[in-house]
Amino acid sequence: MSRSKRKLEHIDHAMETGQIDSSGLEDIRFIHQSLPDINLKDVSIASSIGELQLSSPIFINAMTGGGGKATENINAQLAEIANTLSMPMAVGSQMAAIKDTNERRSYQIVREKHPKGVIFANLGSEATVEQAKTSIEMIEADAIQIHLNVIQELVMPEGDRDFTGALQRIEKICEAVPVPVIVKEVGFGMSKETVRKLYEAGVKIVDIGGFGGTNFSKIENNRRLETYQFFNDWGIPTAVSIIEAKYTEPDIQVIATGGIKNALHIAKAISLGANAVGMAGKILKWLHEIGADGTTKNLQGIFNELRVIMTAVGARNINDLQRTPVLIQGTTNNWLKERQIS
Ligand code: FNR
């Protein structure tokens, strides 16, 4: 099967059968405060990732590119939404455009439609330093995401089977590229052991890409008869993974993604220590069902709701929200006890 056909199938499956709803954020509860002493109009949702200043903590996470007109169209619409709302946006893996320069247009359209915006390049951990530099130059990226997707590769019969040397390549990329490097998972979460290894290799920002939203095992298994169903329930829920990362390496910046679907999820993820929050599957579904205008309105609604939630807990800014006390219940609580994180 061609790479571009696979990409289009991923998009179809991601919107329906490839979604789950169990990020662990349902186990997090804010503690009501009756005297928040705050005026909603003074609440700021500005945040930062590394040296990048952001007007809000929410960004559109990596999805597509390199699948001809269809993915070019999706990227153009996503970039217009990001431009209207001054949101950062990541492009999908650029390996297709590194191997075939004819594929560049579907990525470069993002810079064209979001000329002054924060844009992330994206490659897998098989990338070399030269490929990383090319992907950054291709879209004048402000940061680069390096994705780790072992389970997705294993579930695909044509996927990679050799995962050696990834950490060493990431270390070299961190030393060589001129922009911040974000190492990300794609929906299986990062453990404290993984985060420690990345931190020791020089990584300063991780997107923990937790279990609980888009599920690439289900997406791949649903595309074929011979399956590895046992991976469908494999992964570290987003809530657990944020805490594992922050607890292990307090100095590492954490981006929370994986099953983020509303303002309450965003507020909870930040209260666990995240600086920023990415959404992929939910935005793709909105784009499909209600178009770019509807998606823009929904995201504007989320910005407003985030301010309302911050007012309720008395958080004037993202820094305050990161320090807001929460209750951790249920499976997430059990998980943290088992992992000796408290
Ligand atoms: C993705 N994701 C992804 N990630 C990445 O680093 N490079 C990529 O090329 C892609 N491609 C891709 C395609 C589609 C259709 C989807 C839905 C997702 C993963 C994405 O960035 C994110 O990590 C996961 O989807 C988890 O977040 P959500 O979807 O639960 O918000």
Side-chain angles (χ1 to χ4, degrees), residues 284-298:
L284 189 67
K285 200 167 161 60
W286 280 340
L287 189 63
H288 182 69
E289 288 174 354
I290 53 173
D293 287 349
T295 306
T296 305
K297 281 201 190 90
N298 281 1

Side-chain angles (χ1 to χ4, degrees), residues 31 37 44 58 66 105 114 125 143 147 173 178 184 190 208 222 267 284 287 299 314 324 332:
I31 298 158
D37 195 25
S44 162
I58 307 159
R105 174 91 195 122
H114 196 13
S125 59
H147 65 255
I173 290 173
K184 83 182 277 281
M190 274 187 202
I208 52 88
N222 288 338
L284 189 67
L287 189 63
L299 286 166
T324 299
T332 304

